[in-house]
Short mmCIF file of all heavy atoms in Angstrom, two decimals:
data_model
loop_
_atom_site.label_atom_id
_atom_site.label_comp_id
_atom_site.label_asym_id
_atom_site.label_seq_id
_atom_site.Cartn_x
_atom_site.Cartn_y
_atom_site.Cartn_z
N MET A 620 -11.67 -11.08 -12.96
CA MET A 620 -11.72 -11.65 -11.62
C MET A 620 -10.61 -11.06 -10.73
O MET A 620 -10.27 -11.63 -9.69
CB MET A 620 -11.59 -13.17 -11.69
CG MET A 620 -12.78 -13.86 -12.33
SD MET A 620 -14.29 -13.70 -11.36
CE MET A 620 -13.91 -14.83 -10.02
N ILE A 621 -10.05 -9.96 -11.16
CA ILE A 621 -9.03 -9.26 -10.35
C ILE A 621 -9.72 -8.64 -9.14
O ILE A 621 -10.80 -8.07 -9.26
CB ILE A 621 -8.33 -8.19 -11.20
CG1 ILE A 621 -7.61 -8.84 -12.39
CG2 ILE A 621 -7.34 -7.39 -10.36
CD1 ILE A 621 -7.11 -7.85 -13.43
N LYS A 622 -9.08 -8.76 -7.99
CA LYS A 622 -9.66 -8.24 -6.75
C LYS A 622 -9.02 -6.91 -6.35
O LYS A 622 -7.88 -6.62 -6.71
CB LYS A 622 -9.45 -9.23 -5.61
CG LYS A 622 -10.05 -10.62 -5.84
CD LYS A 622 -9.77 -11.50 -4.62
CE LYS A 622 -10.23 -12.92 -4.81
NZ LYS A 622 -9.98 -13.76 -3.62
N VAL A 623 -9.77 -6.13 -5.58
CA VAL A 623 -9.23 -4.91 -5.00
C VAL A 623 -9.71 -4.81 -3.55
O VAL A 623 -10.88 -5.04 -3.25
CB VAL A 623 -9.62 -3.65 -5.80
CG1 VAL A 623 -11.12 -3.49 -5.90
CG2 VAL A 623 -8.96 -2.40 -5.21
N THR A 624 -8.79 -4.50 -2.65
CA THR A 624 -9.08 -4.45 -1.22
C THR A 624 -8.47 -3.20 -0.61
O THR A 624 -7.34 -2.83 -0.94
CB THR A 624 -8.49 -5.67 -0.49
OG1 THR A 624 -9.03 -6.87 -1.04
CG2 THR A 624 -8.77 -5.62 1.00
N SER A 625 -9.21 -2.55 0.27
CA SER A 625 -8.68 -1.42 1.03
C SER A 625 -8.57 -1.84 2.49
O SER A 625 -9.52 -2.39 3.06
CB SER A 625 -9.60 -0.21 0.91
OG SER A 625 -9.14 0.85 1.72
N ILE A 626 -7.41 -1.58 3.10
CA ILE A 626 -7.19 -1.88 4.51
C ILE A 626 -6.97 -0.58 5.25
O ILE A 626 -6.07 0.20 4.91
CB ILE A 626 -5.98 -2.82 4.68
CG1 ILE A 626 -6.25 -4.16 3.99
CG2 ILE A 626 -5.69 -3.05 6.17
CD1 ILE A 626 -5.09 -5.14 4.03
N SER A 627 -7.80 -0.32 6.25
CA SER A 627 -7.76 0.94 6.99
C SER A 627 -7.33 0.71 8.43
O SER A 627 -8.15 0.34 9.28
CB SER A 627 -9.15 1.60 6.97
OG SER A 627 -9.53 1.96 5.66
N PRO A 628 -6.06 0.93 8.73
CA PRO A 628 -5.60 0.77 10.11
C PRO A 628 -5.89 2.00 10.96
O PRO A 628 -5.94 3.13 10.46
CB PRO A 628 -4.08 0.58 9.97
CG PRO A 628 -3.81 0.50 8.49
CD PRO A 628 -4.95 1.18 7.82
N GLY A 629 -6.03 1.76 12.26
CA GLY A 629 -5.98 2.86 13.22
C GLY A 629 -4.53 3.23 13.44
O GLY A 629 -3.69 3.08 12.55
N GLY A 630 -4.20 3.69 14.62
CA GLY A 630 -2.82 4.10 14.90
C GLY A 630 -1.85 2.93 14.81
O GLY A 630 -2.05 1.90 15.43
N VAL A 631 -0.79 3.11 14.02
CA VAL A 631 0.25 2.09 13.87
C VAL A 631 1.59 2.72 14.23
O VAL A 631 1.89 3.85 13.82
CB VAL A 631 0.30 1.55 12.43
CG1 VAL A 631 1.33 0.43 12.32
CG2 VAL A 631 -1.07 1.05 11.98
N ARG A 632 2.39 2.00 14.96
CA ARG A 632 3.68 2.52 15.41
C ARG A 632 4.68 2.58 14.25
O ARG A 632 5.43 1.65 14.00
CB ARG A 632 4.24 1.64 16.53
CG ARG A 632 5.17 2.36 17.49
CD ARG A 632 5.64 1.44 18.61
NE ARG A 632 4.55 0.78 19.29
CZ ARG A 632 3.80 1.35 20.25
NH1 ARG A 632 4.07 2.58 20.63
NH2 ARG A 632 2.80 0.68 20.81
N THR A 633 4.64 3.69 13.49
CA THR A 633 5.52 3.86 12.33
C THR A 633 6.09 5.28 12.31
O THR A 633 5.66 6.16 13.06
CB THR A 633 4.75 3.64 11.02
OG1 THR A 633 3.74 4.65 10.89
CG2 THR A 633 4.11 2.26 10.97
N GLU A 634 7.04 5.50 11.40
CA GLU A 634 7.69 6.80 11.29
C GLU A 634 6.72 7.92 10.92
O GLU A 634 6.93 9.07 11.28
CB GLU A 634 8.80 6.74 10.23
CG GLU A 634 9.99 5.89 10.64
CD GLU A 634 11.05 5.86 9.56
OE1 GLU A 634 10.92 6.63 8.57
OE2 GLU A 634 12.01 5.08 9.69
N ILE A 635 5.66 7.59 10.18
CA ILE A 635 4.74 8.62 9.70
C ILE A 635 4.04 9.34 10.85
O ILE A 635 3.61 10.49 10.72
CB ILE A 635 3.69 8.02 8.73
CG1 ILE A 635 3.04 9.14 7.89
CG2 ILE A 635 2.65 7.22 9.47
CD1 ILE A 635 2.16 8.62 6.77
N LEU A 636 3.96 8.69 12.02
CA LEU A 636 3.29 9.31 13.16
C LEU A 636 4.25 10.09 14.06
O LEU A 636 3.82 10.74 15.01
CB LEU A 636 2.57 8.25 14.00
CG LEU A 636 1.34 7.61 13.35
CD1 LEU A 636 0.69 6.62 14.31
CD2 LEU A 636 0.33 8.68 12.93
N GLU A 637 5.54 10.03 13.76
CA GLU A 637 6.50 10.79 14.56
C GLU A 637 6.25 12.29 14.38
O GLU A 637 6.14 12.79 13.27
CB GLU A 637 7.93 10.44 14.13
CG GLU A 637 8.34 9.03 14.49
CD GLU A 637 9.74 8.70 14.03
OE1 GLU A 637 10.42 9.59 13.49
OE2 GLU A 637 10.17 7.54 14.22
N GLY A 638 6.14 12.99 15.45
CA GLY A 638 5.92 14.43 15.40
C GLY A 638 4.47 14.83 15.31
O GLY A 638 4.15 16.02 15.26
N VAL A 639 3.57 13.83 15.26
CA VAL A 639 2.14 14.15 15.18
C VAL A 639 1.60 14.65 16.52
O VAL A 639 0.62 15.36 16.59
CB VAL A 639 1.34 12.91 14.70
CG1 VAL A 639 -0.15 13.15 14.75
CG2 VAL A 639 1.77 12.55 13.28
N GLY A 640 2.29 14.29 17.60
CA GLY A 640 1.87 14.75 18.91
C GLY A 640 0.75 13.94 19.52
O GLY A 640 -0.10 14.47 20.24
N LEU A 641 0.73 12.65 19.23
CA LEU A 641 -0.30 11.78 19.79
C LEU A 641 -0.02 11.51 21.27
O LEU A 641 1.14 11.54 21.69
CB LEU A 641 -0.35 10.46 19.03
CG LEU A 641 -0.71 10.55 17.54
CD1 LEU A 641 -0.57 9.19 16.89
CD2 LEU A 641 -2.12 11.09 17.36
N PRO A 642 -1.05 11.25 22.05
CA PRO A 642 -0.84 10.94 23.47
C PRO A 642 0.07 9.74 23.64
O PRO A 642 -0.02 8.77 22.89
CB PRO A 642 -2.26 10.63 23.97
CG PRO A 642 -3.17 11.30 23.00
CD PRO A 642 -2.48 11.27 21.69
N LYS A 643 0.95 9.79 24.62
CA LYS A 643 1.91 8.71 24.84
C LYS A 643 1.25 7.38 25.20
O LYS A 643 1.79 6.32 24.95
CB LYS A 643 2.91 9.11 25.93
CG LYS A 643 3.84 10.25 25.51
CD LYS A 643 4.84 10.55 26.60
CE LYS A 643 5.78 11.67 26.17
NZ LYS A 643 6.79 11.99 27.22
#
Side-chain angles (χ1 to χ4, degrees):
M620 293 294 287
I621 298 169
K622 301 180 185 181
V623 58
T624 301
S625 176
I626 298 177
S627 296
V631 183
R632 207 178 308 279
T633 64
E634 291 180 8
I635 198 171
L636 290 183
E637 292 179 3
V639 174
L641 298 174
K643 292 183 179 180

